[in-house]
């Protein structure tokens, strides 16, 4: 598998593809440095830079089609060259990265345009667009790097942008906390990723994609498995997968365009990209693949279950994202033909989830920034465009033909059942159940928001449709969800073949298709029955499962008990120890040697003799101890 | 160009300037400041000229000068620098003018002094103006001794600079610092002095047993018995471990860093402490290679404990300056790991870390100083929501914090990555545990940022007059060069790495260490594509 990966050097027009990153980066820098001078027009610069990148991306896509190897590698200059370690500032455009580039810049440009309207009344709009451009640049570096260190630099860059944007309204304590939480949980995952890079260098002597892909076959299976698991840890952090999922719903504290672009369509799928990009490693490590499958299956259920119990429109969508990325992890964990399935689901999800978030933002825009679906209802009438576009996104997500989700999710369920042994049946069953739950919570969201009786709070006046700068992106994304499905099933899979290799077409799953449709319709029907006539506007007492789901299945509580509280106490204890213990020991020894406890009080004045003695005593103690250990 | 006596001239120049400034009357503070700043900029130009004249691929030691000093001891005024010392000289030359500009109003006297009043919200007390000529001449004297300690190539000369360096810093902390400055200054002085005594004993021992000379080159070639070598190593190592400082010799640093004026703290932690890690590289490793390898596990353990311990303590601090001091203990741990892992990557990373830490922590101290000067307090709890009041300053603060946590794109990332990747090839456990320190770094930085600049505005903070002024032009000029270097070296560290790398390899070959080869080198079938990719 992947024994002879070779990238062609970029030539001609393709040798300029570093511009993809440079343009949004330059725009971000300009917006930050120009300060208030750019307040009036800065947002348009932000939109234009991403749109320009998209235009270039399309041209590079066609240029790449003309290259036989379907790859273009660009080594710009040396980043690190120390001893045997050589890391380039190098970029790679291949079928996998170009798909991401098109998604990031295309959906990114639409969401940037939408944000012009959404952030119109925010005094920090210029800063917002600076961070948003910075995100796009970092995300493009992430998918365009030709080695793991470049990928990591982009990886941390999007983490920074995500932190800045979640905490964009930093005066809100909840936003500041959510931003910090996202960064920290990502860092936990990143530790795994960076150790994986160390391991690659220690074993293979290189961190380039081609060298690692070609060399991984020579590694012992155990080493490859460790490598895969470390990468998986990194992927879980970035993509909000179990056990590092709890930051993603909190990230909804950021402005809604951020949720749409970063925490739904692009950044959170970086984990899927990492695994897909590292497929030779996972192909060589079946145990790591099994771990990916289990993480994916567990997370898709966790996200779907919690999604059913939430009342905040953005948090439902956030848990839905967690769940859908679980499907993608499941797919790339299955490997083989399912790699491409995971990626087409990623693309389809990028469109319909971005559309759903923007729809939610449009609703919030006219409802005084409220997010509680129990206080919506009947909005289909005043907000026709939002209603229709959100509706298309909703149907695409639950997988109603002929929308995109049907073509991308159902094959993953089928591939899961195809997996050998009992594991296939279990994860297939989980994926199938997840489809039913998805249909249930999304129907609940859609019906409670747009239909049924109005349950608006009194301060909401007359809800209105959003301005065209917001509705046009909504329509564009909805058309994407409508059209993309069938297209993706065929041409994208073929397009990705040079990356993942040829695989036999999986068998027809008419049985799976039927079962999926059955559970989906059951979910829809159940939700319709329950919520057709609206719902209570206050939280109702509930059974164990619903209560647990409302509490995010106690994931936050577990983190708090296991990590936060002991960490807090440890820190406090150490501060005490350092002041009283180590420093106190030194000072105390000084007092003892200096003769008499009467001097204790006066230690703080700093007697030369006592300090000298104390340090001497401490040092002698250490030396004696060392010698006793080493010579004895 | 190589014939010009760069090192002696550069070492002497600031002291001469300092003498002139010291003689200026107290009635002319602005003249004293301007003259000092101008003089330090001249030194910077000279140092840059020297840096460009240095040949990275040439001799290990360059700009060699040697003058008669104490013939009966065979002690000479010998100066020479390798790549490691050279980058430190440049760091000093960059930081001193920046610190001078940052300290411009430190001696003017105002309503409340930074860090002096940490519990009440309103500034109390009036700090009288103090002698600007004394303060700025002390900074120049300090620059001289710091340049000298990194340029010396005679062990006795090194020792002299090592001790003299304490004097200006002692006065900077003790006379111009904040609350508890006397205590902190004495503690700093004594710790260093006692460390120096250990070194003195070792220096004398070296002279007696090494052939009655202080010449570095001759002593490197001298042979010692195993036991002697170990004792001599320990003498130097304890001095350097106190200076750096490594756990458990660190307790003077938070006091000194917390009490010193922000600019002096930046120099203390950014440069002066690096003499410790520099000394290990220049003296412990080449002079006592066997003992260095013998004690490496111990040194690695202390450094690793420092990484975790410093980070946890930083999380628990409520004083910004002490917090930054504790983060430095963690950073020194990374440097120590890099040195004692004995690989090219980790060693080069450690030296680069010394430079980057000077830039990043220097910036952090200076920004904390700007915040504290406005607030009249460096206590975290006296801030809260400052981002709304001084957005640009808060942004610079965030950037300094991100550099401190080694975010990719900033220069500390390159050094931290090199240290860890190099260490991993020889000692997986140390590298993996140190990576936990990387996670903790995000914790202390982001929590610090959140508690000071995020959240609702602290009402007491909003009333402070100083918080109504955002970053001034002078402060902008202070932070701009540091930010430019942090970001520039973060993307293109090659100019510095090319200077450091040969020196580190020479040092490692003194200890007889070689890098481990990859266990399963990747097939080089695609070498062709690499060449065509150029």
């Amino acid at each position: 598998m992947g024994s002879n990966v070779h990238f062609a050097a970029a030539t001609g027009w393709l040798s300029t593809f570093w511009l993809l990153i440079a343009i949004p980066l330059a725009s971000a820098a300009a917006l930050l440095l120009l300060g208030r001078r750019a307040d009036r027009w800065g947002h348009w610069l932000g939109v234009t830079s991403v749109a320009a990148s998209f235009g270039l991306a399309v041209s590079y896509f066609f240029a790449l089609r003309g290259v036989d190897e379907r790859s273009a590698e660009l080594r710009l200059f040396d980043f690190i060259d120390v001893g045997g370690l050589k890391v380039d500032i190098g970029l790679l455009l291949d079928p996998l990265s170009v798909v991401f580039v098109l998604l990031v810049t295309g959906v990114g440009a639409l969401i940037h345009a939408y944000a012009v309207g959404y952030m119109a009344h925010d005094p920090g709009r210029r800063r917002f667009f600076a961070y948003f451009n910075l995100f796009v640049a970092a995300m493009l570096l992430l998918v365009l790097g030709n080695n793991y260190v470049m990928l990591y630099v982009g990886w941390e860059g999007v983490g920074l942008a995500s932190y800045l944007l979640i905490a964009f309204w930093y005066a809100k304590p909840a936003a500041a906390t959510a931003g910090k939480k996202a960064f920290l949980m990502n860092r936990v995952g990143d530790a795994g990723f960076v150790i994986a890079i160390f391991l690659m260098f220690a074993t293979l002597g290189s961190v380039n994609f081609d060298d690692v892909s070609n060399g991984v076959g020579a590694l012992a299976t155990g080493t490859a498995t460790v490598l895969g698991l470390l990468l998986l840890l990194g992927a879980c952090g970035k993509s909000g997968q179990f056990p590092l999922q709890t930051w993603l719903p909190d990230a909804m504290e950021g402005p809604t365009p951020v949720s749409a672009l970063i925490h739904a369509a692009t950044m959170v799928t970086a984990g899927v990209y990492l695994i897909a990009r590292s497929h030779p490693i996972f192909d060589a490590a079946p145990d790591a693949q099994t771990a990916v499958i289990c993480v994916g299956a567990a997370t898709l259920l966790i996200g779907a279950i919690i999604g059913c119990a939430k009342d905040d429109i953005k948090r439902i969508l956030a848990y839905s994202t967690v769940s859908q990325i679980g499907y993608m992890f499941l797919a790339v964990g299955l490997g083989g033909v399912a790699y491409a399935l995971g990626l087409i689901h990623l693309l389809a999800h990028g469109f319909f989830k971005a559309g759903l978030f923007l729809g939610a933002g449009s609703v919030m825009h006219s409802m005084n920034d409220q997010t509680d679906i129990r206080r919506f209802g009947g909005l289909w009438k005043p907000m026709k465009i939002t209603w229709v576009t959100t509706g298309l996104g909703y149907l695409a997500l639950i997988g109603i033909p002929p929308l995109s989700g049907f073509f991308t999710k159902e094959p993953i369920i089928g591939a899961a059942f195809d997996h050998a042994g009992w594991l296939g049946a279990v994860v297939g069953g989980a994926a199938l159940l997840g489809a039913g739950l998805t249909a249930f919570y999304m129907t609940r969201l859609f019906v409670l928001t747009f239909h049924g009786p109005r349950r608006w709070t009194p301060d909401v006046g007359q809800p209105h449709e959003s301005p065209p700068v917001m509705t046009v992106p909504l329509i564009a994304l909805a058309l994407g969800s409508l059209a993309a499905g069938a297209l993706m099933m065929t041409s994208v899979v073929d397009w990705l073949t040079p990356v993942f290799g040829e695989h036999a077409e999986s068998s027809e799953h008419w049985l799976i298709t039927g079962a999926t449709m059955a559970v989906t319709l059951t979910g829809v029907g159940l939700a319709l029955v329950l919520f057709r006539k609206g719902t209570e506007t206050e939280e109702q007492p509930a059974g164990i499962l619903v209560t647990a789901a409302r509490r995010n299945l106690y994931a936050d509580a577990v983190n708090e008990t296991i990590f936060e509280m002991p960490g807090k106490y440890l820190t406090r204890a150490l501060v005490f120890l350092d002041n009283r213990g180590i420093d106190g020991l030194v000072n105390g020894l000084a007092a003892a040697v200096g003769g008499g406890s009467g001097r204790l009080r006066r230690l703080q004045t700093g007697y030369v003799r006592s300090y000298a003695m104390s340090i001497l005593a401490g040092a002698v103690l250490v030396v004696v101890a060392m010698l006793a250990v080493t010579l004895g | 160009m190589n014939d010009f006596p760069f090192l002696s001239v550069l070492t002497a120049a600031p002291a001469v300037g300092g003498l002139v400034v010291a003689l200026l009357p107290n009635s002319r503070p602005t003249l004293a400041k301007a003259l000092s700043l101008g003089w330090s900029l001249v030194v910077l130009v000279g140092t840059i000229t020297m840096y460009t004249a240095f040949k990275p691929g040439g001799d290990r030691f360059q700009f060699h000068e040697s003058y008669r000093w104490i013939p009966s001891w065979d002690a000479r005024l010998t100066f020479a620098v390798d790549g490691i010392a050279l980058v430190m000289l440049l760091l000093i030359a960059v930081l001193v003018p920046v610190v001078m500009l940052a300290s411009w109003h430190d001696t003017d006297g105002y309503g409340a002094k930074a860090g002096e009043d940490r519990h009440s919200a309103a500034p109390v007390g009036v700090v009288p103006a103090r002698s600007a000529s004394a303060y700025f001449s002390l900074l120049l004297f300090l620059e001289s001794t710091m340049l000298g300690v990194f340029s010396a190539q005679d062990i006795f000369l090194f020792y002299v600079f090592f001790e003299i360096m304490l004097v200006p810093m002692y006065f900077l902390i003790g006379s111009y610092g904040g609350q508890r400055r006397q205590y902190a200054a004495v503690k700093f002085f004594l710790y260093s002095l006692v460390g120096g005594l250990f070194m003195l004993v070792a220096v004398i021992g070296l002279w007696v047993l090494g052939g009655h000379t202080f010449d570095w080159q001759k002593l490197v070639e001298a042979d010692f018995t195993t036991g002697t070598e170990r004792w001599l190593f320990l003498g130097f190592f304890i001095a350097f471990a106190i200076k750096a400082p490594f756990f458990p010799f660190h307790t003077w640093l938070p006091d000194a860093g917390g009490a010193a004026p922000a600019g002096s703290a930046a120099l203390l932690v950014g440069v002066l402490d690096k003499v410790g890690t520099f000394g290990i590289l220049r003296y412990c490793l080449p002079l006592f290679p066997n003992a260095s390898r013998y004690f490496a596990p111990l040194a690695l353990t202390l450094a690793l404990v420092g990484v975790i311990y410093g980070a946890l303590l930083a999380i628990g601090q409520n004083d910004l300056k002490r917090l930054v001091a504790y983060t430095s203990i963690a950073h020194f741990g990374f440097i120590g790991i890099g040195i004692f892992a004995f690989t090219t990557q980790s060693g080069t990373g450690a030296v680069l870390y010394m430079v980057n830490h000077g830039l990043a922590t220097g910036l952090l101290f200076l920004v904390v100083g700007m915040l504290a000067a406005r607030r009249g307090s460096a206590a975290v709890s006296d801030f809260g929501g400052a981002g709304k009041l001084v957005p640009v300053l808060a942004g610079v603060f965030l950037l300094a914090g991100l550099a401190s946590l080694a975010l990719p794109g900033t220069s500390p990332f390159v050094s931290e990555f090199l240290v860890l990747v190099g260490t991993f090839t020889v000692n997986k456990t140390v590298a993996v545990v140190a990576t936990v320190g990387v996670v903790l770094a995000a914790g202390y930085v982001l929590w610090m940022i959140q508690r000071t600049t995020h959240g609702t505005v602290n009402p007491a903070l909003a009333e402070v007059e100083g918080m109504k002024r955002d970053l001034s032009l002078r402060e902008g000029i202070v932070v701009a060069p540091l930010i430019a270097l942090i970001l520039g070296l973060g993307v293109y560290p090659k100019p510095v790495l090319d200077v450091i790398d040969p020196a580190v390899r020479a040092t490692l070959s003194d200890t007889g260490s070689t890098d481990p080869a990859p266990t399963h080198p990747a097939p080089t079938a695609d070498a062709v594509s690499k060449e065509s990719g150029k």
Side-chain angles (χ1 to χ4, degrees), chain A residues 334-590:
Chain A
L334 292 166
V337 69
Y339 280 123
L341 297 178
L343 285 163
I344 59 171
H345 191 52
L346 188 157
L347 283 178
H349 177 260
F351 276 91
F352 61 64
K353 188 55 69 63
L356 283 168
F357 265 112
L358 296 191
S362 180
V363 169
M364 288 162 58
H365 209 63
S366 70
M367 298 294 283
N368 277 352
D369 282 333
Q370 290 187 55
T371 54
D372 189 344
I373 54 171
R374 292 172 302 193
R375 308 310 300 254
F376 295 161
L379 286 173
W380 68 274
K381 206 162 186 184
M383 306 184 71
K384 288 264 174 11
I385 300 176
T386 306
W387 173 55
V388 171
T389 54
T390 308
L392 285 170
Y394 149 66
L395 294 174
L397 170 54
I398 66 172
I400 299 294
L403 289 122
S404 59
F406 169 77
F407 297 98
T408 60
K409 195 200 296 174
E410 186 270 337
I412 295 177
I413 299 172
F417 276 113
D418 280 351
H419 192 74
W422 59 269
L423 185 67
V426 171
V427 296
L432 191 60
L433 178 60
L437 290 169
T438 307
F440 177 81
Y441 68 73
M442 281 309 296
T443 308
R444 173 170 176 265
L445 179 148
F446 189 74
V447 169
L448 286 183
T449 302
F450 291 103
H451 298 279
R454 297 172 175 184
R455 303 173 301 279
W456 308 344
T457 48
D459 58 316
V460 172
Q462 189 54 48
H464 55 88
E465 186 55 273
S466 298
V469 73
M470 290 168 72
T471 50
V472 170
L474 277 175
I475 294 167
L477 288 170
L479 289 178
S481 315
L482 195 64
L487 184 83
M488 281 169 186
M489 195 55 205
T490 53
S491 58
V492 181
V493 173
D494 292 342
W495 173 249
L496 289 170
T497 303
V499 179
F500 300 118
E502 295 277 358
H503 294 284
E505 281 291 315
S506 53
S507 52
E508 278 299 312
H509 295 109
W510 62 267
L511 188 67
I512 305 289
T513 310
T516 308
M517 288 317 298
V519 294
T520 301
L521 292 176
T522 310
V524 171
L526 205 59
L528 278 177
V529 169
L530 285 172
F531 302 108
R532 174 170 48 92
K533 295 198 174 125
T535 186
E536 299 292 335
T537 53
E538 299 300 328
E539 191 166 287
Q540 301 296 309
I544 298 171
L545 185 63
V546 175
T547 310
R550 282 179 186 161
R551 307 271 177 281
N552 307 333
L553 297 180
Y554 302 110
D556 285 308
V558 167
N559 285 340
E560 205 166 291
T561 333
I562 296 182
F563 299 108
E564 267 178 57
M565 292 315 289
K568 232 176 228 173
Y569 288 122
L570 178 66
T571 312
R572 274 189 213 156
L574 283 180
V575 170
F576 182 82
L577 186 80
D578 201 57
N579 291 342
R580 301 291 155 76
I582 294 191
D583 213 17
L585 183 74
V586 172
N587 287 348
L589 266 173

Side-chain angles (χ1 to χ4, degrees), chain B residues 139-403:
Chain B
L139 285 175
L140 283 171
F141 283 126
L142 182 67
E143 181 172 25
S144 255
T145 57
M146 291 190 302
L147 290 171
V149 79
F150 286 106
S151 314
Q153 184 65 348
D154 177 284
I155 290 174
F156 193 71
L157 183 62
F158 173 78
Y159 175 75
V160 169
F161 277 121
F162 187 83
E163 296 291 23
I164 290 184
M165 193 170 64
L166 301 178
V167 178
M169 186 51 83
Y170 171 80
F171 285 111
L172 283 170
I173 299 174
S175 306
Y176 295 89
Q179 203 187 37
R180 299 226 298 167
R181 55 177 179 263
Q182 300 284 348
Y183 170 74
V186 170
K187 196 168 177 180
F188 157 75
F189 196 80
L190 287 177
Y191 258 90
S192 299
L193 204 63
V194 171
L197 287 179
F198 276 95
M199 191 161 89
L200 181 62
V201 173
V203 165
I204 294 170
L206 201 57
W207 186 82
V208 172
L209 301 167
H212 297 231
T213 181
F214 287 117
D215 185 80
W216 185 87
Q217 196 60 48
K218 287 183 201 155
L219 286 169
V220 165
E221 286 150 16
D223 278 324
F224 304 101
T225 64
T226 309
T228 315
E229 197 186 323
R230 286 180 191 170
W231 280 109
L232 292 174
F233 172 90
L234 283 176
F236 278 90
F237 180 74
I238 289 174
F240 294 142
I242 289 176
K243 177 69 66 178
F246 289 162
F247 177 89
F249 302 107
H250 64 276
T251 56
W252 65 270
L253 185 66
D255 285 322
S264 305
L267 287 180
L268 171 69
V269 180
V271 181
L272 209 133
D273 288 353
K274 305 287 167 36
V275 178
T277 47
F278 169 78
I280 292 172
L281 279 166
R282 174 66 69 77
Y283 298 97
C284 287
L285 264 51
L287 293 175
F288 321 113
N290 299 319
S292 298
R293 277 203 302 279
Y294 178 77
F295 284 111
L298 177 85
L300 277 175
T301 309
L302 290 184
L304 190 59
V305 171
V307 165
I308 305 295
Y309 189 80
L312 286 174
L313 280 190
I315 294 174
Q317 297 304 311
N318 186 41
D319 182 281
L320 285 171
K321 283 202 225 159
R322 288 180 69 90
L323 195 161
V324 178
Y326 273 110
T327 69
S328 294
I329 293 167
H331 291 147
F332 278 108
F334 278 108
I335 299 173
I337 289 172
I339 292 173
F340 281 98
F342 299 132
T343 68
T344 314
Q345 290 89 24
S346 70
T348 305
V351 177
L352 187 64
Y353 212 125
M354 285 157 63
V355 176
N356 289 336
H357 177 259
L359 297 172
T361 304
L363 179 64
L364 198 52
F365 261 123
L366 294 178
V367 176
V368 164
M370 293 170 191
L371 284 167
R374 283 169 168 73
R375 179 68 179 94
S377 160
V380 173
S381 48
D382 281 344
F383 289 88
K388 280 281 176 219
L389 302 171
V390 284
V392 179
L393 184 56
V396 177
F397 189 38
L398 174 66
L399 197 106
L402 294 173

Side-chain angles (χ1 to χ4, degrees), chain B residues 406-444:
Chain B
L407 191 82
T410 65
S411 55
F413 165 70
V414 180
S415 38
E416 197 165 282
F417 179 77
L418 279 171
V419 164
L420 291 174
V421 77
T423 305
F424 189 89
T425 58
V426 291
N427 193 330
K428 294 188 173 47
T429 314
V430 170
V432 169
V433 176
T435 307
V436 175
V438 177
V439 177
L440 293 176
Y444 60 68

Side-chain angles (χ1 to χ4, degrees), chain A residues 226-413:
Chain A
V226 172
L227 208 49
L229 291 177
L230 287 167
L231 290 174
L232 174 61
L233 179 61
C236 284
K238 192 61 74 193
S239 292
Q241 297 294 289
F242 178 80
L244 297 174
Q245 79 280 15
T246 60
W247 68 268
L248 183 54
D250 286 7
M252 299 300 121
E253 291 293 341
T256 304
V258 174
S259 312
L261 180 59
I262 302 185
H263 303 118
T266 57
M267 183 191 85
V268 288
T269 59
V272 182
Y273 172 78
L274 178 64
I275 293 173
R277 179 57 83 190
S278 312
H279 69 94
I281 296 173
F282 286 91
D283 289 341
D287 289 346
Q289 282 188 312
T290 305
V292 178
I293 293 173
C294 294
V295 165
T299 313
L300 80 86
L301 276 183
I302 290 173
I305 290 171
I306 300 175
C308 294
K310 290 284 162 183
D311 299 312
D312 178 310
I313 187 167
K314 285 182 73 181
R315 296 210 178 218
I316 298 172
L317 290 175
Y319 274 108
S320 164
T321 304
V322 168
S323 169
Q324 294 302 311
I325 297 173
Y327 277 100
M328 300 171 207
F329 267 60
L330 174 60
V332 293
L334 292 166
V337 69
Y339 280 123
L341 297 178
L343 285 163
I344 59 171
H345 191 52
L346 188 157
L347 283 178
H349 177 260
F351 276 91
F352 61 64
K353 188 55 69 63
L356 283 168
F357 265 112
L358 296 191
S362 180
V363 169
M364 288 162 58
H365 209 63
S366 70
M367 298 294 283
N368 277 352
D369 282 333
Q370 290 187 55
T371 54
D372 189 344
I373 54 171
R374 292 172 302 193
R375 308 310 300 254
F376 295 161
L379 286 173
W380 68 274
K381 206 162 186 184
M383 306 184 71
K384 288 264 174 11
I385 300 176
T386 306
W387 173 55
V388 171
T389 54
T390 308
L392 285 170
Y394 149 66
L395 294 174
L397 170 54
I398 66 172
I400 299 294
L403 289 122
S404 59
F406 169 77
F407 297 98
T408 60
K409 195 200 296 174
E410 186 270 337
I412 295 177
I413 299 172

